[in-house]
């Protein structure tokens, strides 16, 4: 491997050369080693293109296992035989299977961001925790930062009426850590995972920490059982939220899919690299393993951060208190369908 | 005027029939009476189409006067002869010129939302306040609610280098009231004005109050002097933020422009009615006075509010504290361009 590419000649100081490594399906019985070989291929391709950082999607080492009930079920916590369930989690990182990826990153001097299911060692109370996790690995092959998913979608108990399950709320705890921004790769880098990207708070919490690039991996089924009217809008919504998050915070966003038809479930692809203007500057055109790249000028963030979205000058934090108010719930509950003024307002229509 | 339209036969209980009344330019010397005649024409057209509520844009009674320095200028507050400046404000509502609009609304049983510059009576300290204001008027011709703009864009002092001024921060105070949601027109209605629509907090603060429709008027020049690279994106950004705000809060959004070339300054048109799905269901195709309409099913909000964006189930208010933290400023200031790790991370590129 050599860097006889034109990168060194043209690379600008505040540019970050990014590879977004979309993955196609991972079969339920596909061994870790085989998956890691796919990741290595994409990492090497990234190195050839001069990338400094290659971003893999959420849960990039296994099939999307929350689509099955894998324990005894019931309303309570995980119980019974958890052998298969546990097999999808990593108990250390690097693990035996992923060590190759760390070694190759160091050899190539290409960092990466990797999503996986994390099963922690027992805490002081003897409890092991399960998180949906991202690690950011530097160009020296060392872990620079870890992020655990804050917004966990789906449901807690087995719901047999669904064509497939989305048991993330059974298999993952909500992050206790929140959104941090890290000095890495010459910029301010943040991470988010899948459903996080639909919440404006995700980008804003990092935007207020000066984030310049948000890395987001996702697995998004094209069939949303609770409301199928959203199905044809999946691709639109995916880009809408990431483009708005980028623009409204003056940050780059790298959205990376695991797409295609995995174990009979079709998921969104459309991996995209989005500029602080909200513009999509690179987009995947397949539903399989595919690397897309962009040269991201981190100084472009200031075009928005120092003008229209100069937070210090224009934001009104004193007007936003309900956003962090844990009792806001009651406000929503008070929406009454049978409003006293409803009749008054809808009558008088007839001449 | 009669309602021999098919509306009564087909109007569903939770539908709100909306007219978005885009305005073309208003000349600097155009009298209020002439403007009100234009508004009356659009209101009557709305009635003919069966609308229950017609939404006018921001500052719908006058030219967009913050494009000129109209007092003595300087860094301090407004000073010197304010005769022309004051002439653009309303000191009461209804005023003599707008009374006709209120009377016609009552006669037709069509509510409206109207943007104007408000100059208050002296407060207890003898101070008169200037706000960029919206009023919501019921089908009985009575004011139901008032909103004052929270996010004031532009600048405080005359900046002669600009092709035209954007002195909103000189001529308007920030709202001390914030975003409220009102039981009106059979639903939960909120208001916002122009720059407010670019901030996700605007929609979220109302979303947490169960808002089902947000009315937004705007005057948006196509030339953004601080960063002209944003100019070709004006239309994209306009729809992006309103569509994201609608989707992320499961609410209808009605965005109404004053567009066209006014006193030599070209402004965005593209008035749009946006569903809780984020889809644009109606859009203006001219840059002048134009009424667009939509039958808005307020129950559609629940498709999002009760599924993907079930706030009580999925939001993490404890993770958002920086959003309402007035000291968040310091976090952004701490973004250093000369990071200690920058050299380490960007070196080692060469083989």
């Amino acid at each position: 491997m050599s860097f006889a590419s034109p990168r060194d000649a043209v690379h600008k100081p505040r540019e970050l050369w990014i590879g977004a490594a979309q993955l196609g399906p991972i079969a339920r019985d596909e061994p870790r080693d085989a998956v890691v070989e796919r990741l290595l291929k994409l990492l090497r391709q990234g190195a050839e293109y001069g990338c400094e950082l290659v971003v893999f999607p959420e849960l990039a080492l296994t099939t999307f296992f929350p689509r099955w009930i894998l324990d005894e079920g019931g309303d309570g916590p995980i119980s019974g035989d958890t052998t298969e369930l546990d097999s999808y989690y990593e108990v250390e990182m690097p693990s035996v299977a992923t060590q190759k990826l760390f070694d190759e990153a160091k050899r190539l001097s290409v960092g990466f961001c990797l999503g996986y299911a994390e099963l922690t060692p027992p805490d002081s109370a003897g409890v092991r925790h399960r998180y949906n996790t991202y690690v950011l690995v530097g160009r020296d092959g060392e872990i620079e930062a870890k992020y655990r998913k804050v917004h966990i979608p789906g449901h807690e108990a087995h719901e047999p009426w669904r064509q497939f399950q989305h048991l993330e709320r059974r298999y993952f705890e909500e992050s206790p850590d929140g959104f941090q921004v890290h000095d890495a790769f010459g910029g301010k880098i943040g991470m988010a995972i899948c459903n996080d990207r639909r919440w404006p708070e995700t980008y804003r919490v990092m935007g207020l920490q000066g984030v310049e690039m948000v890395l987001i991996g996702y697995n998004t089924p094209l069939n949303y059982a609770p409301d199928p009217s959203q199905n044809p809008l999946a691709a639109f919504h995916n880009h809408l939220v990431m483009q708005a998050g980028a623009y409204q915070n003056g940050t780059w966003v790298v959205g990376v899919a695991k797409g295609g038809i995995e174990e009979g479930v079709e998921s969104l692809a459309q991996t995209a690299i989005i500029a602080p203007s909200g513009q999509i500057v690179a987009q995947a055109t397949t539903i399989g393993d595919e690397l897309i790249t962009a040269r991201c000028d981190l100084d472009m963030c200031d075009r928005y951060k120092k003008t229209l979205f100069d937070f210090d000058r224009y934001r009104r934090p004193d007007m936003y208190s309900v956003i962090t108010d844990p009792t806001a719930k009651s406000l929503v509950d008070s929406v009454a369908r049978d409003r006293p003024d409803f009749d008054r307002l809808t009558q008088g229509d007839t001449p």
Side-chain angles (χ1 to χ4, degrees), chain A residues 312-332:
Chain A
D312 296 342
R313 185 173 189 183
Y314 295 120
R315 283 182 87 245
R316 303 285 314 280
D318 50 324
M319 293 291 148
Y320 309 149
S321 56
V322 71
I323 292 176
T324 51
D325 180 358
T327 67
K329 179 183 163 73
S330 58
L331 289 170
V332 179

Side-chain angles (χ1 to χ4, degrees), chain A residues 18-22 49 51 255 271-273 282-285 290-294:
Chain A
I18 284 289
Q22 177 173 287
Y49 292 150
C51 295
T271 291
I273 302 176
Q283 183 174 172
T285 54
E290 178 181 354
L291 186 85
I292 63 169
T293 65

Side-chain angles (χ1 to χ4, degrees), chain A residues 5-305:
Chain A
S5 72
R7 177 156 73 97
D8 299 322
V10 299
H11 189 285
K12 294 170 192 156
R14 285 278 291 160
E15 268 183 2
L16 177 51
W17 289 28
I18 284 289
Q22 177 173 287
L23 291 179
I26 299 176
R28 189 167 183 171
D29 61 1
E30 191 166 336
R32 287 281 200 297
D33 287 343
V35 177
V36 170
E37 283 305 319
R38 289 166 61 183
L39 304 183
L40 283 168
K41 188 174 169 192
L42 289 159
L43 188 77
R44 289 178 190 129
Q45 196 181 352
E48 282 166 11
Y49 292 150
C51 295
E52 298 156 81
L53 172 60
V54 170
V55 185
F56 297 110
E58 174 194 34
L59 299 177
L61 295 172
T62 68
T63 198
F64 188 77
F65 60 90
R67 73 167 64 94
W68 298 290
I69 183 76
L70 295 169
D71 72 329
E72 282 189 356
D75 287 336
I78 294 168
S79 62
D81 179 2
T82 62
T83 310
E84 182 182 352
L85 177 63
D86 291 350
S87 77
Y88 296 113
Y89 291 76
E90 311 301 313
V91 295
E92 56 184 354
M93 186 58 60
S95 56
V96 174
T98 56
Q99 184 62 52
K100 270 190 189 174
L101 198 57
F102 285 75
D103 294 344
E104 191 69 351
K106 183 177 180 179
R107 192 178 75 77
L108 298 172
S109 187
V110 179
F112 65 89
C113 186
L114 178 71
Y116 63 97
E118 176 190 10
L119 180 58
T120 71
D123 65 14
S124 57
V127 179
R128 304 182 70 184
H129 300 277
R130 297 169 190 268
Y131 298 110
N132 189 335
T133 299
Y134 235 172
V135 277
L136 182 65
V137 176
R139 298 176 71 177
D140 55 2
E142 301 293 323
I143 291 175
E144 298 228 357
K146 183 188 271 195
Y147 167 75
R148 292 160 171 166
K149 191 171 182 174
V150 166
H151 299 94
I152 312 285
H155 47 104
E156 290 83 358
H158 186 214
E159 298 186 0
W161 63 271
R162 291 172 184 257
Q163 203 181 337
F164 55 89
Q165 302 296 298
H166 199 111
L167 287 161
E168 281 197 66
R169 292 178 74 82
R170 186 169 189 82
Y171 299 149
F172 298 116
E173 289 177 48
E174 296 175 327
S175 165
D177 312 315
F179 298 101
Q180 272 93 42
V181 167
H182 310 280
D183 287 311
F185 296 92
K188 304 284 269 187
I189 311 292
M191 292 177 273
I193 298 178
C194 196
N195 186 268
D196 285 327
R197 77 195 187 286
R198 301 186 191 274
W199 302 88
E201 290 89 347
T202 294
Y203 308 90
R204 185 61 101 223
V205 167
M206 291 189 274
L208 286 165
Q209 297 174 68
V211 76
E212 295 171 321
M213 180 176 285
V214 181
L215 314 177
I216 306 175
Y218 57 87
N219 283 259
T220 299
L222 291 180
N223 181 322
Y224 181 64
D227 175 20
S229 80
Q230 298 180 29
N231 295 353
L233 304 174
F236 163 58
H237 289 155
N238 177 49
H239 285 165
L240 177 65
V241 292
M242 294 195 294
Q243 291 180 281
Y247 168 64
Q248 292 174 322
N249 294 280
T251 180
W252 289 88
V253 170
V254 181
V256 190
K258 180 141 68 75
I261 303 173
E262 186 182 271
E263 299 293 346
V265 175
E266 189 163 11
S267 286
L268 187 67
Q270 298 208 341
T271 291
I273 302 176
I274 298 162
S277 58
Q279 291 169 287
I280 294 172
V281 300
Q283 183 174 172
T285 54
T286 74
I287 57 171
D289 291 11
E290 178 181 354
L291 186 85
I292 63 169
T293 65
R295 297 177 298 276
C296 303
D297 179 3
L298 301 181
D299 278 339
M300 185 179 171
C301 299
D302 281 347
R303 285 199 217 158
Y304 292 85
K305 288 185 194 294

